[in-house]
């Protein structure tokens, strides 16, 4: 891959216009991307990158996948939006499909993002007549005010406190602590099957089954946030169905989805099973765009393609290849994760420098902490994409270490 070029007007010009026109909520953009194909993207200077971030676990089918392009184009030629005064075939078909994948009866509320799906679920728990929600330390559930109240990271919370809700935090993966915190005052327990924001952290395999038993005994709902782990990310449709992650069978009361569901078209889903699916009455909640036929058609195309192309199996196989490539360098001290949700720990606190060095070398990477990195690429990531990273990985870590020590990364 070509050497980086930060002097050409493409990325510089877009960066300057971005700074003048957009609120500074994300910091300066790393570059301006203009096109993509498969698991590769191209910036405004024509430089190509292997995308190992996938829009933060969103681009399930990669970029410009023909099935997604066709579905969106065809649906746009029929109906894009009709309001929720009306039903549309894609909306109904998607809800039925998601319930079938969960393998249980229930009801679906469609939103526009993971945070909105969690907001809907948060409100749904209030319909139990209880208010307290027990959540895990290290969890991330979104940045809207309700979802933020359920998110433990102090840096996200403190500028906006006081936050709504009656929320109790417990250590993640500790079933004894969970049992001690849950009683008949608890409306719901909210857990991620794997914590993504924390750096791809999985609990003990019996944690969710024990959480299910604890919530059953207290009459509380078990709410699983699969916003990042759902739709094939770990090699099964939902992470709580993955025998590599969860021992036994867990049937949650609520599952929230978003990121990978429509392959990049904004969508969120709050799925409530059994009686929980009937807690909302008309007027209790709403959304203007949620469940619109364009997003629903995109999601159906994603689900169809995952099945047709056997991407669940590919996620598992390619994830194993990726973990082996990353672990081959002894500066990687731990490799975690299942399927194409991979986290690593580095021997030194050079994760940010590795992201920069990776971009210089033609790879889009992500740091989740000083020494932690997360890899959540498209499920269509190829063996060649992984092999390219494997060849470049030692050089990326060399450059990261040099930059951290104040030397040249060249």
């Amino acid at each position: 891959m070509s050497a980086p070029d930060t002097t050409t007007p493409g990325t510089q010009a877009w960066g300057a216009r971005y700074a003048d026109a957009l609120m500074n909520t994300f910091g300066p953009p790393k570059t301006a991307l203009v096109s993509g194909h498969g698991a590769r993207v191209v910036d405004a200077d024509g430089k190509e990158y292997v995308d190992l971030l996938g829009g933060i676990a969103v681009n399930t089918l990669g970029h410009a996948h023909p099935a997604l392009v066709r579905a969106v184009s065809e649906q746009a030629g029929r109906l894009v939006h009709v309001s929720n005064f009306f039903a549309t075939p894609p909306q109904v078909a998607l809800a039925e499909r998601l319930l079938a994948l969960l393998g249980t009866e229930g009801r679906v509320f469609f939103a526009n993002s993971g945070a909105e799906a969690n907001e809907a679920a948060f409100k749904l728990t209030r319909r139990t007549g209880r208010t307290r929600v027990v959540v895990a330390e290290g969890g991330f559930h979104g940045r809207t005010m309700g979802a933020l109240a359920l998110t433990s990271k102090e840096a996200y919370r403190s500028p906006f406190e006081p936050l709504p809700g009656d929320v109790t935090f417990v250590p993640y993966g500790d079933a004894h602590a969970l049992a001690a915190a849950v009683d008949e005052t608890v409306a719901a327990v909210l857990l991620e099957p794997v914590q993504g924001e924390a750096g791809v952290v999985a609990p003990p395999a019996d944690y969710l089954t024990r959480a299910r038993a604890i919530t059953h005994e207290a009459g509380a709902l078990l709410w699983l946030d699969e916003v990042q782990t759902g739709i094939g990310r770990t090699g099964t449709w939902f992470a709580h169905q993955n025998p590599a992650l969860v021992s036994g069978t867990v049937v949650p009361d609520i599952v929230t989805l978003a990121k990978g569901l429509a392959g990049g078209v904004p969508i969120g889903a709050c799925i409530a099973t059994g009686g929980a699916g009937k807690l909302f009455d008309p007027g209790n909640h709403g959304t203007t765009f949620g469940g619109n036929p364009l997003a629903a058609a995109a999601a159906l195309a994603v689900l169809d393609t995952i099945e047709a192309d056997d991407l669940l199996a590919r996620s598992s196989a390619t994830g194993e290849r990726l973990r082996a490539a990353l672990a081959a360098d002894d500066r990687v001290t731990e490799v975690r994760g299942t399927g194409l949700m991979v986290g690593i720990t580095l021997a030194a606190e050079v994760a940010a420098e590795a992201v920069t060095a990776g971009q210089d070398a033609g790879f889009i990477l992500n740091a989740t902490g000083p020494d932690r990195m997360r890899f959540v690429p498209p499920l269509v990531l190829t063996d060649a994409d992984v092999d390219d990273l494997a060849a470049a990985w030692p050089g990326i870590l060399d450059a990261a270490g040099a930059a951290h020590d104040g030397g040249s990364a060249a």
Side-chain angles (χ1 to χ4, degrees), residues 171-311:
Y172 185 56
D174 185 339
H176 293 292
L178 184 64
V182 176
D183 57 24
E184 68 280 359
T185 70
V186 171
V189 170
L190 166 58
L191 300 169
E192 293 168 280
V194 180
Q195 291 187 331
E197 173 86 0
V200 187
V201 178
D206 66 347
Y207 184 55
L208 294 187
T209 51
R210 295 179 71 179
R212 178 68 283 183
I214 291 166
T215 50
H216 262 316
E217 185 173 348
L221 302 176
L222 178 62
W223 165 10
L224 299 183
D225 180 336
E226 294 241 23
V227 166
Q228 185 165 157
T229 56
I231 313 303
R233 175 55 54 190
T234 70
T236 50
W237 285 110
F238 304 99
H240 74 268
Q241 297 173 337
N242 192 327
L245 294 168
V246 180
S247 60
T249 299
V250 175
V251 179
D253 300 294
I254 305 172
V255 177
T256 45
L257 297 172
K259 288 182 177 292
L261 178 54
V265 177
I267 194 170
C270 170
I271 309 170
T273 66
K278 299 177 182 177
L279 287 172
F280 272 153
D281 291 325
N284 283 163
H285 197 49
T287 172
T288 293
F289 297 106
N292 79 50
L294 189 73
L300 287 167
V302 168
L303 299 178
D304 286 343
T305 304
I306 289 174
E307 287 186 343
D309 293 353
D310 201 15
L311 293 184

Side-chain angles (χ1 to χ4, degrees), residues 64-397:
H65 193 286
L68 187 56
V69 172
R70 182 169 55 252
V72 171
S73 299
E74 290 179 356
Q75 185 58 47
R78 299 189 184 98
L79 290 170
V80 171
H81 180 75
V82 297
S83 90
N84 286 305
F85 289 118
F86 308 96
T88 65
Q91 175 194 46
V92 176
L94 179 59
E96 292 172 343
R97 188 78 166 272
L98 291 174
L99 291 169
L101 294 177
L102 270 177
T104 185
E105 294 183 352
R107 300 287 189 274
V108 182
F109 175 84
F110 286 117
N112 306 290
S113 67
E116 289 184 52
N118 283 331
E119 290 282 349
F122 197 6
K123 287 181 67 176
L124 190 74
T125 67
R126 293 295 181 94
R127 295 289 293 162
T128 64
R130 305 178 182 182
T131 59
R132 193 156 72 93
V133 178
V134 176
V135 299
E137 296 171 357
F140 179 82
H141 304 290
R143 296 178 190 252
T144 54
M145 291 297 276
L148 188 59
L150 305 165
T151 295
S152 70
K153 193 170 184 176
E154 186 63 25
Y156 296 162
R157 295 170 57 88
S158 60
F160 304 101
E161 291 177 336
L163 295 167
D166 179 6
V167 181
T168 301
F169 291 96
V170 294
Y172 185 56
D174 185 339
H176 293 292
L178 184 64
V182 176
D183 57 24
E184 68 280 359
T185 70
V186 171
V189 170
L190 166 58
L191 300 169
E192 293 168 280
V194 180
Q195 291 187 331
E197 173 86 0
V200 187
V201 178
D206 66 347
Y207 184 55
L208 294 187
T209 51
R210 295 179 71 179
R212 178 68 283 183
I214 291 166
T215 50
H216 262 316
E217 185 173 348
L221 302 176
L222 178 62
W223 165 10
L224 299 183
D225 180 336
E226 294 241 23
V227 166
Q228 185 165 157
T229 56
I231 313 303
R233 175 55 54 190
T234 70
T236 50
W237 285 110
F238 304 99
H240 74 268
Q241 297 173 337
N242 192 327
L245 294 168
V246 180
S247 60
T249 299
V250 175
V251 179
D253 300 294
I254 305 172
V255 177
T256 45
L257 297 172
K259 288 182 177 292
L261 178 54
V265 177
I267 194 170
C270 170
I271 309 170
T273 66
K278 299 177 182 177
L279 287 172
F280 272 153
D281 291 325
N284 283 163
H285 197 49
T287 172
T288 293
F289 297 106
N292 79 50
L294 189 73
L300 287 167
V302 168
L303 299 178
D304 286 343
T305 304
I306 289 174
E307 287 186 343
D309 293 353
D310 201 15
L311 293 184
L312 298 181
R314 180 186 286 191
S315 175
S316 297
T318 312
E320 185 174 346
R321 192 182 190 94
L322 178 58
R323 286 190 295 278
L326 295 168
D329 194 298
D330 59 13
R331 287 167 289 186
V332 176
T333 59
E334 183 184 11
V335 179
R336 302 174 296 278
T338 303
L340 280 173
M341 187 174 187
V342 179
I344 66 170
T345 300
L346 300 171
E349 294 186 346
V350 298
E353 291 87 348
V355 170
T356 301
Q359 186 170 331
D360 290 348
F363 300 89
I364 293 181
L365 306 177
N366 178 236
T368 59
D371 61 350
R372 288 190 167 198
M373 301 182 71
R374 168 179 53 179
F375 300 78
V376 282
L379 303 190
V380 297
L381 187 76
T382 66
D383 289 351
D385 295 329
V386 177
D387 292 346
D388 283 347
L389 175 67
W393 187 231
I396 291 172
L397 294 181

